[in-house]
Amino acid sequence: TLVGDLKYGRTVHSMLTAMRHFNSRFRFIAPKELEMPDEYKEYCDANGIRYTESKDFDEDVINTSDIIYMTRVQKERFTDLMVYESVKNAYILRKQMLANAKSNLKILHPLPRGNEIDQDVDTHPAAYYFQQAKNGLYIREALICNSLGIQV
């Protein structure tokens, strides 16, 4: 379940291209102003990636998700700040919303976050975004070493 800024979110666009190798199914949850661009939906269609679109992010969506990938609404992407103000708090994940979530749920986020994930979620077992960031550091280190010919 991809939630938030799906229009400008590079991480969600990259994820779609990577996930074509797996039998994935996505839910795109975004306000109309930030919905997944047509080119990525066409990519999904062309590569057999199943998806649905909705504007609703509620406990039913949460309780049926294996992974929730939250994204920050990026103020710097907006030329009209009134539009930004109207969508910046469209989706906020709070700990109480996770009461009936699957036991194997993982919550991901590319960081930094705004207020789309309340800080009370940080201690929930499903919160995986800090581990995600740590793993990203190790991957970048390995890529740099590889590109410089450094063997560790």
Side-chain angles (χ1 to χ4, degrees):
T1 301
L2 308 179
V3 183
D5 183 354
L6 306 185
K7 181 176 183 178
Y8 299 113
R10 295 178 315 220
T11 57
V12 294
H13 300 161
S14 297
M15 186 182 312
L16 288 178
T17 60
M19 295 305 288
R20 77 175 188 269
H21 302 290
F22 302 91
N23 187 20
S24 302
R25 183 183 47 167
F26 289 93
R27 272 187 263 202
F28 302 151
I29 311 284
K32 180 153 184 59
E33 298 84 356
L34 297 172
E35 63 188 21
M36 186 66 73
D38 288 340
E39 67 187 274
Y40 291 100
K41 292 186 275 187
E42 290 166 7
Y43 179 87
C44 288
D45 294 337
N47 288 280
I49 300 171
R50 297 169 292 158
Y51 67 91
T52 59
E53 293 183 277
S54 177
K55 291 168 186 23
D56 299 323
F57 183 59
D58 55 25
E59 291 182 32
D60 184 51
V61 168
I62 293 166
N63 296 343
T64 57
S65 295
D66 297 310
I67 296 172
I68 297 174
Y69 195 100
M70 300 294 293
T71 63
R72 174 178 66 88
V73 176
Q74 303 171 62
K75 184 177 183 178
E76 60 273 17
R77 300 285 189 173
F78 289 84
T79 55
D80 184 343
L81 290 182
M82 294 298 286
V83 176
Y84 168 75
E85 289 296 328
S86 72
V87 298
K88 72 176 184 178
N89 293 319
Y91 308 110
I92 300 174
L93 182 61
R94 294 183 171 87
K95 192 173 188 174
Q96 75 261 18
M97 298 167 75
L98 300 168
N100 296 309
K102 291 182 173 185
S103 61
N104 65 335
L105 173 70
K106 296 290 185 230
I107 301 165
L108 302 174
H109 190 292
L111 299 176
R113 69 174 158 193
N115 57 343
E116 59 281 348
I117 300 177
D118 195 288
Q119 289 183 2
D120 69 354
V121 176
D122 294 353
T123 58
H124 192 279
Y128 202 72
Y129 34 91
F130 296 127
Q131 184 66 41
Q132 174 189 0
K134 186 176 181 181
N135 290 343
L137 171 69
Y138 299 144
I139 292 296
R140 287 187 297 280
E141 287 176 342
L143 290 171
I144 290 169
C145 286
N146 184 273
S147 67
L148 295 174
I150 299 170
Q151 302 257 335
V152 185

